[in-house]
Each structure stands twice: as structure tokens, then as C-alpha cells.
Amino acid sequence: MYYIIASHGTYAQACKVSCEMITGAAPSFVDFAFTEDMTKETVEKKYEEILAEKGADDCAAIIVDLPGGTPYNAAMRIVSEHKNIQLVPGLCQQLLVLLNSGESLGDAIAQTGEIFAGISVKGGDKAVKADAPKEPVEKNGIVNLRLDERLIHGQVATYWTRTLQADRIIIADDDVLKDEIGMSALKAAVPSGVHLSVLTVDNAAKRLNEGRYSGQRVFLIVNKTKTICRLLDNGLKVKEVNIGNMGEKEGRKQIKKSVYCTPEEIADIEAVEKKGVQVYAQMVPNDEKKTFRSYLD
């Protein structure tokens, strides 16, 4: 029996190394590092390679760092096809120590919760500074239109949504609605207190143009350059578009870190610019906000 442990960056590997300092060799953990240039499909393929090499029937669980992150979202499809494999978010050293000491997965999860439940943090009773009050947005409600092939994942759910103070995420895509597992992943990833709407491209444009979300703060996310063009062709009014994440795939060349494009996708973005919409590229809110054109030049 073995476990796949996956994380953003080398956290999973570090947890395994720390676990081995305490419990000795841990051959039952197969670690995997997700990097920014990977796509969800890349991660799924990596999981499949591990299962093919070590045996899918012998894998007890895929343990990931964050619910809603790309390692988690990619694993949802894997566990739907392999009913013997559990999906466990909340990777930590303590969980691995318990598993490598012979505890069952269920008992290890329960004990990890017990260990942290009773800990009080010094200064934890101090008042937490509240975010600035949100102001409603008029008309279509859009506070950000982002192209992100991963749709809702760790950065979007925990960082962008909070920074934008969004109270609704709209996914505009015709294919996601047909993907039962993809829909489940999106629902699991959306932050607490934030509404989620998954709409076809035409319906998203129609509802936004009608002002259905007037007064809300809408974070609109798409995963294709063609979708942005279709939204604008349907009369959607936006001032700018953020190209956040487009993974490395055949036929694409690197434009910047985390953004790869085919010539056709670049042509789509140029068509958006010709409509008077500013296109910029920004992975996370604290990155410099630079125009997409500057990377081409």
C-alpha cells in the first residue's frame, strides 16, 4: 500500500523528508511537486503515471495540500475512476508521521485534527483588522475578467477573490457544464461565502448585460482566449482583461512565466486589444501589472 502526496511546490517532498527524520524511511509516500507552468491535465497525467508504475489497486489515497488547488482538482478525476483511492486535503508532516507509524488513514486524519484542535495561539484573542468595506459595483458588476486555464484553484480561491473582495465568481464556458467531475471540483473550490455561477458563454454575456448581478462584485473567469472574444462580440463591456495562467502545451511558446500561447491565441488577444480593451498579464495580485503587449515586444 502506498500514498501519493502532492503539493504546490516542494512542500510534499519536505513533509516526507521531515517525516523520515522522525520515523525512518517512508517508501509508502510518493511525492509530487506541482509548479506554475503545469496544467491540470499535466498533473492528471503524472498521477496516472505513478498509478501505472506502482499499481492503482495498491494506492490508498492521494493526499494534497489544499482543497480546491490544482493537485486537488486533478485528483478528483483520478479518484472517480479508481474507487479504492481516497482524496485527502490537508497534507502535513504530522499526518505522514502517523501513517508511517502504522496508523490507518482514518485514525491518522482523526488524530491530526485532535492534535491541533486544542492548541491556543499566543495573542490569538487580539482583534483582527477587518477588510475595508466593500462597495457595490453598478451595471454588470465585473471587478475582474481573468483568463485562467485552471479556473478556480488555490490562487484564485484564496488570494484573488479576497483581494478583489468578490462575492460572486462566474465561470463562462460551454464545456464545463457538461463535465460532472469538473463541476464538482469547482463547487468544492469556491471560497465560503462566495456565490458561484457556471454559465455558457452566451448566457453569461446575456445575464451580465441585463444587469442581473448589478450591485455585486463579480469575478469573471474564462479558460480560453476565444471565450473572451465571444463575450465581447456579445456586447459585454469591460475595461481590461487579465491573462493569468495558460500552461505549456504543444504548439505554444512561452510569453512569460505561467503564460504560453499559440499564434492563434495571440491573434485572439490582439483582437481584444483592437476593441479598446486593455490586456495585461498578472499571475497574482502582488505581481507587477504589465501589459500583455510588453511581453511580446
Side-chain angles (χ1 to χ4, degrees):
M1 183 175 65
Y2 68 95
Y3 304 89
I4 299 174
I5 57 174
S7 66
H8 294 74
T10 57
Y11 175 67
Q13 180 184 32
C15 283
K16 179 180 177 181
V17 170
S18 296
C19 171
E20 290 179 326
M21 290 180 64
I22 299 169
T23 63
S28 60
F29 300 132
V30 181
D31 61 274
F32 168 62
F34 167 68
T35 60
E36 289 180 341
D37 293 337
M38 292 180 179
T39 64
K40 183 165 75 73
E41 291 73 22
T42 305
V43 181
E44 288 178 357
K45 184 177 180 180
K46 179 61 179 179
Y47 288 151
E48 290 167 352
E49 289 174 354
I50 295 172
L51 295 177
E53 178 184 347
K54 299 187 70 66
D57 292 341
D58 294 327
C59 182
I62 300 176
I63 305 173
V64 301
D65 51 353
L66 293 172
T70 301
Y72 177 95
N73 294 340
M76 288 193 71
R77 190 172 302 280
I78 301 300
V79 300
S80 72
E81 297 172 356
H82 300 278
K83 302 302 182 182
N84 60 296
I85 303 175
Q86 296 189 55
L87 175 55
V88 180
L91 171 66
C92 66
Q93 178 192 358
Q94 182 62 38
L95 179 61
L96 300 191
V97 167
L98 290 168
L99 289 173
N100 209 40
S101 300
E103 295 286 353
S104 69
L105 180 60
D107 287 345
I109 292 171
Q111 289 185 56
T112 301
E114 290 173 1
I115 288 167
F116 292 106
I119 296 177
S120 60
V121 180
K122 184 177 181 180
D125 56 347
K126 292 182 180 178
V128 177
K129 184 178 179 181
D131 292 330
K134 295 186 295 183
E135 296 182 0
V137 178
E138 300 302 325
K139 299 180 181 178
N140 63 26
I142 297 172
V143 294
N144 192 284
L145 169 52
R146 176 180 176 86
L147 191 159
D148 195 317
E149 288 187 329
R150 304 176 204 163
L151 296 176
I152 304 176
H153 59 102
Q155 288 173 337
V156 166
T158 62
Y159 202 172
W160 274 105
T161 302
R162 181 179 178 84
T163 300
L164 296 169
Q165 296 189 309
D167 46 33
R168 180 177 296 276
I169 294 175
I170 294 180
I171 304 297
D173 186 81
D174 295 345
D175 297 327
V176 173
L177 284 167
K178 306 170 188 175
D179 183 354
E180 183 178 343
I181 296 172
M183 286 290 293
S184 297
L186 291 173
K187 291 175 182 178
V190 70
S192 177
V194 176
H195 300 287
L196 173 66
S197 299
V198 183
L199 307 170
T200 65
V201 178
D202 292 343
N203 194 28
K206 180 177 182 292
R207 293 172 71 90
L208 287 161
N209 289 340
E210 290 174 348
R212 297 283 190 95
Y213 309 105
S214 177
Q216 300 183 41
R217 297 181 63 84
V218 175
F219 188 7
L220 177 58
I221 306 173
V222 302
N223 61 5
K224 303 178 186 72
T225 56
K226 291 291 185 191
T227 301
I228 302 172
C229 295
R230 284 180 59 190
L231 289 169
L232 298 182
D233 289 343
N234 277 320
L236 187 68
K237 303 297 183 185
V238 292
K239 294 180 180 179
E240 57 186 17
V241 172
N242 177 19
I243 307 298
N245 177 272
M246 298 176 69
E248 184 176 6
K249 294 180 181 178
E250 185 177 354
R252 284 179 170 176
K253 69 174 184 178
Q254 186 172 19
I255 306 301
K256 65 177 288 286
K257 184 179 180 182
S258 79
V259 176
Y260 296 75
C261 294
T262 65
E264 292 77 15
E265 289 165 335
I266 292 175
D268 289 338
I269 293 171
E270 290 175 338
V272 170
E273 291 176 323
K274 289 178 181 178
K275 291 180 179 292
V277 177
Q278 181 183 6
V279 182
Y280 65 98
Q282 189 180 27
M283 186 64 173
V284 292
N286 61 358
D287 283 348
E288 182 181 2
K289 186 176 178 180
K290 296 179 62 176
T291 65
F292 187 85
R293 174 65 47 188
S294 67
Y295 292 102
L296 298 180
D297 296 340

